[in-house]
Amino acid sequence: MNIVITGSTGQLGRLVIADLLAAGVPADGITAVARSKEKAADLAAQGVKVAIADYDEPSTFDEVFSAGDRVLLVSGTDFGRRVGQHAAVLDAAKKAGVAQLAYTSVFGAPGNTMLLAADHKATEKLILESGLPYTLLRNNWYSEMGVFDLPAAVESGVIVNGVSPDGRLATASRQDFAAAASAVLRTEGHLNQAYELSGDEAWTYGEYAAEVTRQTSKPVVHRSLSHDENLAGLTAAGIPEAFATVLADVDTQISTGTLNGTPGTLSNLIGRPTTPIATTIATQLG
């Protein structure tokens, strides 16, 4: 068995490989796909095989896959262009006859109406049409994405976004999602399955602010903006309007419950509770 990880030098890809190695998968049974040898030098030093390929150059994937491979397609980050990039990987995987194509999708697809979900839903459609044995990893929001600006929030005493006071999201740590990807690649019983993956508990930004206050002993509160106020603030901060529209939509969708589901599938896959948001906050605060 050979396990191939695309996007291997990104934050998620590296964690997946680390989990595979920790679980006892031989290093030479893992192929890390990267855009250059330099980016994957540390992985190669651990004995992991490295293949050089680029989502924007389809022909570079022609020799990456072999019959029987188990592949994790880590979704690209180029919003609006990802479907074409993913299609190139799928074509190469189908030609090679891989045994499994796992994909990091979005929570709630295909019913998720977030603008950010469009590329994922289109990719899922391509996967189903390809006839490849698949595993859809429908990941909820990473907790790390919610705490990236935490130092500024502590300094200002306020967390400002477009999420309503009662909007809940069931995040989990990036490590949790990586462990799930590792599990479906190295164990049996996951073919032609779609897993809705989220944290065990959903939280509001008011609860988040209260936890930050508890850990820092500095008062922090959550201030909710309207959609239009939020969009104006994002563009004023220098974010291109097209992407600011996507980000504002995320907050609006959180407010309506798009990311608040807690089916328990993620903790079942990884064999332990998901990482609480309080733990991620503590890690970010150092």
Side-chain angles (χ1 to χ4, degrees), residues 4-43:
V4 184
I5 313 295
T6 75
S8 64
T9 59
Q11 291 175 298
L12 182 67
R14 287 184 180 279
L15 288 174
V16 174
I17 291 174
D19 197 277
L20 290 169
L21 293 171
V25 176
D28 62 1
I30 303 170
T31 298
V33 182
R35 285 181 293 178
S36 70
K37 289 184 178 179
E38 292 74 19
K39 287 181 176 294
D42 60 316
L43 299 173

Side-chain angles (χ1 to χ4, degrees), residues 79-175:
F79 178 74
R81 298 182 60 245
R82 294 184 291 185
V83 179
Q85 294 171 333
H86 298 163
V89 178
L90 293 175
D91 287 345
K94 184 174 182 178
K95 290 176 183 177
V98 305
Q100 178 186 23
L101 190 291
Y103 173 65
T104 58
S105 189
V106 65
F107 190 74
N112 189 318
T113 58
M114 296 168 64
L115 296 176
L116 198 63
D119 289 349
H120 292 297
K121 292 190 290 186
T123 298
E124 284 199 12
K125 184 174 184 292
L126 290 177
I127 291 171
L128 295 177
E129 291 173 348
S130 75
L132 287 167
Y134 65 86
T135 309
L136 302 177
L137 301 167
R138 293 174 174 163
N139 293 345
N140 205 315
W141 218 240
Y142 298 156
S143 294
E144 290 84 352
M145 296 170 69
V147 304
F148 76 95
D149 58 350
L150 186 52
V154 173
E155 182 178 352
S156 67
V158 61
I159 298 165
V160 182
N161 56 37
V163 179
S164 65
D166 59 352
R168 290 187 172 273
L169 61 164
T171 64
S173 72
R174 191 176 274 108
Q175 179 63 66

Side-chain angles (χ1 to χ4, degrees), residues 12 16 20 72 102 104 137 176-186 197:
L12 182 67
V16 174
L20 290 169
L72 175 64
T104 58
L137 301 167
D176 294 339
F177 291 114
S182 168
V184 303
L185 290 166
R186 60 184 168 77
L197 305 179

Side-chain angles (χ1 to χ4, degrees), residues 162-168 224 249-258:
V163 179
S164 65
D166 59 352
R168 290 187 172 273
S224 178
D249 176 70
V250 169
D251 285 358
T252 299
Q253 295 279 353
I254 291 171
S255 300
T256 60
T258 299

Side-chain angles (χ1 to χ4, degrees), residues 6 8 25 27 55 63 87 94 111 139 179 193 195 198 205 238 261 268:
T6 75
S8 64
V25 176
Y55 286 151
E63 306 299 325
K94 184 174 182 178
N139 293 345
Q193 299 292 321
Y195 293 124
S198 65
Y205 270 98
N268 286 338

